[in-house]
Amino acid sequence: MSEAFGFREFGGPQVQMFFDRPDPVPGPAEVLVRVTVASVNPLDFKLRAGAMPQFYGDRPFPHVLGAEAAGVVLAVGAEVEGLDVGDAVFGCSLAGAGTYARTTVLDAANTARKPDGLRDDWAATIPVAVTSALNAVDQLDLPVGATVLVNGVGGGVGLVTAQVARDRGLHVIGTGGAAKRALAEAVGVTFVDYTDGDVADQVRGLAPDGVDGVVDLVGGASLRAVAPLSREAGKVVSVTDPTVSELGGEMVRRRVDRSDLERAAALMVQGRLDPQVGKTYPLSQAADALALVEHGHALGKVVIDMTGTA
C-alpha cells in the first residue's frame, strides 16, 4: 500500500482526501515509478471539478490528483522500450492514475529518462507545463524579431512560454498582476500590470501596430480583450479556452511524447530554460499546494516533494 492524495467525488476542495492504495500494476505500455516529485497544475483542480470525467476512464473513486511527476522506475510493462527498472525518469500519467502519490504508473510513450544534472523538481514540471509552452510557441511559428504577447505570464506555463520565446529571438510582452512583475521581468518580459488600467491600451502603448502573436493562458474575458491585438487572427493560441476559435485563433495542439520531453530537458540542462520552481510542499500539505495554484497566488511552479516532511 502507498499513500495518495485525491478526491472521493467530483467537486470543490471539500471532496479532497488522503487514502492508501495498492501500488498500481503497470499495463503493457506503462511503467511503475516511485514518485520523487509531483508538479501541481491548474489541470489538477479542473479535473477534480469534473471538467473531463473521461480522463479517469473506468477507474473507481477515489481518484488521485496530478498528471506529471519525476521518479524512479520500479517495474515496466511488457511492451515498454527504452526504459528500465532503476531509471530516473519524468513523465505523464494520462490514464488517470494520478501523481500525488508515493507510487504511480506513467505512460511509457510520454516518459523519458532524466538526464544527468537535471533536478527532479525541474523535471517534474516538464510533461504538462513546459511542453504546453513549447507546443504553443511552436504553433505560432514566429520569425526572429517578432513580438509575442503572453496573456497570464506570471504562472508556471507563462514564465516558461516567455523563456522559450526569448530563446528563439522573440520580444515578449506579458500581462499579469503586480505580484508577478518581478519574476516576469527577471526572464526578460516587458510587463503589463492588468491592475494599472485597460490591458489592451497598455499593450498598444508598447506595440502601436499590434503584436505578431498571442499565447493565452487565462481565457474568458481576458482572452477576448487581448486577441484583437494580434495583427493576424490565426496567430492567437490559447492553452485554456476552446472558444478561442470564435476569435479566429486555435487551441494549442498538445504533443507530449518522449522527443518533446527530451527537448525540454536539454534546454534546462543547457541553462536556457528555468521552470521557476517556487513553493515546494511535502505530500502531507498537498491540499495547500493545490489551493495556492487554484486561487491564482502561485509565483512560478508549485511542486510536491515526496521525500520532504512538514
Side-chain angles (χ1 to χ4, degrees):
M1 302 292 285
S2 64
E3 184 182 19
F5 183 70
F7 54 99
R8 61 182 178 271
E9 60 185 1
F10 295 121
Q14 74 279 0
V15 304
Q16 295 171 179
M17 60 183 288
F18 284 97
F19 59 97
D20 291 328
R21 68 172 180 179
D23 290 337
V25 176
E30 296 177 327
V31 292
L32 172 68
V33 301
R34 174 175 53 80
V35 179
T36 53
V37 179
S39 183
V40 181
N41 293 287
L43 173 67
D44 303 343
F45 64 78
K46 293 175 183 177
L47 289 171
R48 183 208 63 213
M52 291 184 289
Q54 69 275 15
F55 181 81
Y56 295 98
D58 59 359
R59 292 178 184 272
F61 285 105
H63 295 319
V64 180
L65 283 155
E68 62 180 350
V72 177
V73 176
L74 300 176
V76 300
E79 299 173 4
V80 173
E81 296 181 354
L83 300 173
D84 298 303
V85 172
D87 284 346
V89 297
F90 61 101
C92 276
S93 172
L94 296 179
T99 57
Y100 294 16
R102 301 292 181 185
T103 61
T104 195
V105 289
L106 303 178
D107 302 271
N110 306 308
T111 298
R113 284 194 176 101
K114 184 173 69 70
D116 292 341
L118 180 61
R119 292 165 30 180
D120 281 19
D121 58 342
W122 284 30
T125 71
I126 292 175
V128 174
V130 176
T131 61
S132 293
L134 282 173
N135 293 161
V137 177
D138 286 349
Q139 193 168 330
L140 282 180
D141 192 25
L142 297 175
V144 172
T147 297
V148 61
L149 173 65
V150 180
N151 189 38
V153 76
V157 179
L159 290 167
V160 173
T161 301
Q163 291 176 75
V164 171
R166 292 280 296 180
D167 189 60
R168 297 186 189 181
L170 306 182
H171 172 59
V172 183
I173 300 173
T175 70
K180 311 294 179 74
R181 177 184 290 275
L183 268 179
E185 291 183 340
V187 297
V189 173
T190 300
F191 190 76
V192 171
D193 185 342
Y194 65 71
T195 67
D196 282 347
D198 185 86
V199 167
D201 286 346
Q202 292 185 68
V203 174
R204 289 191 187 97
L206 298 168
D209 297 326
V211 297
D212 298 294
V214 175
V215 176
D216 167 63
L217 305 166
V218 182
S222 180
L223 166 61
R224 279 157 173 71
V226 301
L229 296 169
S230 176
R231 289 194 287 269
E232 184 179 341
K235 293 295 186 180
V236 178
V237 174
S238 181
V239 177
T240 62
D241 191 342
T243 67
V244 67
S245 61
E246 299 171 4
L247 306 171
E250 297 180 310
M251 280 294 288
V252 64
R253 294 189 289 270
R254 295 288 286 117
R255 191 185 77 180
V256 190
D257 61 20
R258 194 173 293 173
S259 64
D260 268 3
L261 299 178
E262 291 171 344
R263 181 161 61 116
L267 290 174
M268 291 183 181
V269 172
Q270 293 163 11
R272 296 161 59 189
L273 176 61
D274 181 336
Q276 300 291 320
V277 172
K279 293 280 287 184
T280 300
Y281 292 83
L283 181 59
S284 62
Q285 295 177 10
D288 295 332
L290 184 56
L292 187 66
V293 173
E294 187 166 7
H295 296 154
H297 299 317
L299 297 176
K301 284 295 297 178
V302 176
V303 300
I304 298 170
D305 183 351
M306 300 299 169
T307 68
T309 57

